[in-house]
Amino acid sequence: MSVKTYSYYGRDLTVRELAEIAAQRYHNPISASTLGKRLQRMSVLNALKTPLKPQATLSLQYDLPALQQKAWDKYQLRLSTAAIARRLARQWSPEKAISTPPIQTGPTKRYQFQGKLMTLEELTSYAQEMGQFIPKNILRARLGLGWDVSRAVMTPLTRNGQHYYHGKPYTIDQLLLIAHRHCNFINKTALLRRLGRNWDVERAVDTPVRIRHDKPKGGTKDND
C-alpha cells in the first residue's frame, strides 16, 4: 500500500515529513494527524504556516481533560476544556485556571428560601451565620446537582466532606490532625471558617492561628 505524498517545492513528502518541516521551518508544532486533516481542505503552505488555535497548542503542553476533571474534583467547578485553554493562553497558572469560578453574566439568579428570594451570596452568608462555613462554589455545585435549597445550605462540610490537601482527599477531622502535627493548633470552627472564605486547603491547614495577647483574662482566641 503506497503512502500518500504531497508536493512541497518540487519534493513529494509524507504528512509526517511535512509536520517536521512545520515545526522546524515555521515554528508551528502541529501533529501529523492534525496536518493530515488540514491538507484535505487547505493548500500545503497554508496547512504548514497556519498557527494552531490556543486549545490545540496548549493540549500539547497540558492534559486539558485531566485539568477539567481536577477542576470538578477539587473545586466543584464545571469548566470546559476550551475555557481552561483560554485561561492558560492568558498566562494563568494551571491551578488558577481551574480554581477561578467563571464570571456570571446576565441577571443574578435567585433561590426561594424561607419565604424569600435570595442570591447565592446571601445564601452563603446565611449558612455562615448558622455555623455552616460552606464555600460559594460548593453551594453552587450542590444546587447544580439538584439539591433542595435548604439541604444545600444546611448540610455541613464535615465528616464525609472531602478536601484535597496536596492532591489527596481528607475529611475535616483528618485535616485537623495534620494541622496539629505541624504545631498549628487550630480548632474545627476556625478551619471551616477559613475554608468558607475560599482559602486554599493547604493555606487553611498550614497557616498558624493568630493568638491575641491583649486581654489579661480568659483563654486564647483564634483571630482568623
Side-chain angles (χ1 to χ4, degrees):
M1 181 178 177
S2 61
V3 177
K4 187 173 182 178
T5 59
Y6 299 84
S7 179
Y8 175 75
Y9 289 112
R11 299 164 59 194
D12 291 331
L13 302 175
T14 65
V15 173
R16 190 172 299 278
E17 291 170 330
L18 289 172
E20 293 176 358
I21 290 174
Q24 295 171 6
R25 181 169 297 182
Y26 301 108
H27 306 289
N28 190 18
I30 189 170
S31 67
S33 60
T34 301
L35 183 58
K37 295 176 182 177
R38 285 186 171 189
L39 290 169
Q40 296 176 13
R41 64 183 191 281
M42 301 169 67
S43 68
V44 173
L45 278 179
N46 283 340
L48 295 177
K49 292 181 177 181
T50 303
L52 289 166
K53 293 180 180 179
Q55 182 171 353
T57 302
L58 289 163
S59 66
L60 300 174
Q61 305 175 42
Y62 302 96
D63 187 343
L64 294 179
L67 288 174
Q68 181 187 43
Q69 186 62 45
K70 185 178 179 182
W72 172 249
D73 291 342
K74 188 173 181 180
Y75 300 106
Q76 286 73 53
L77 290 179
R78 293 192 183 278
L79 300 174
S80 67
T81 54
I84 295 172
R86 286 194 296 270
R87 293 176 170 191
L88 293 171
R90 294 199 294 267
Q91 305 301 313
W92 288 26
S93 69
E95 199 66 23
K96 180 181 178 183
I98 65 171
S99 63
T100 304
I103 297 174
Q104 299 296 318
T105 58
T108 302
K109 186 172 183 179
R110 296 178 181 275
Y111 302 86
Q112 186 75 32
F113 181 63
Q114 293 189 343
K116 299 179 181 179
L117 287 174
M118 302 176 68
T119 65
L120 196 63
E121 289 76 10
E122 290 170 334
L123 290 174
T124 302
S125 297
Y126 178 87
Q128 291 180 356
E129 291 172 2
M130 300 301 294
Q132 307 296 349
F133 299 99
I134 304 173
K136 185 168 67 174
N137 62 324
I138 299 291
L139 187 55
R140 180 189 295 111
R142 289 177 171 182
L143 294 169
L145 291 171
W147 284 35
D148 174 78
V149 178
S150 180
R151 177 190 174 202
V153 170
M154 300 308 299
T155 301
L157 278 179
T158 57
R159 301 290 179 185
N160 296 327
Q162 296 290 303
H163 301 269
Y164 281 77
Y165 178 78
H166 293 298
K168 295 182 179 180
Y170 296 93
T171 64
I172 288 293
D173 289 338
Q174 290 171 330
L175 291 177
L176 284 172
L177 289 175
I178 293 172
H180 294 173
R181 290 194 200 106
H182 295 168
C183 296
N184 180 19
F185 299 104
I186 189 171
N187 60 42
K188 182 181 290 188
T189 299
L191 181 58
L192 286 171
R193 184 184 298 120
R194 289 178 172 186
L195 295 171
R197 292 173 181 167
N198 288 327
W199 285 33
D200 291 337
V201 177
E202 290 79 8
R203 179 187 173 201
V205 172
D206 297 338
T207 303
V209 294
R210 291 180 293 174
I211 307 299
R212 286 183 178 177
H213 299 285
D214 55 346
K215 292 186 178 182
K217 295 182 179 181
T220 60
K221 182 177 181 180
D222 174 20
N223 205 24
D224 286 318

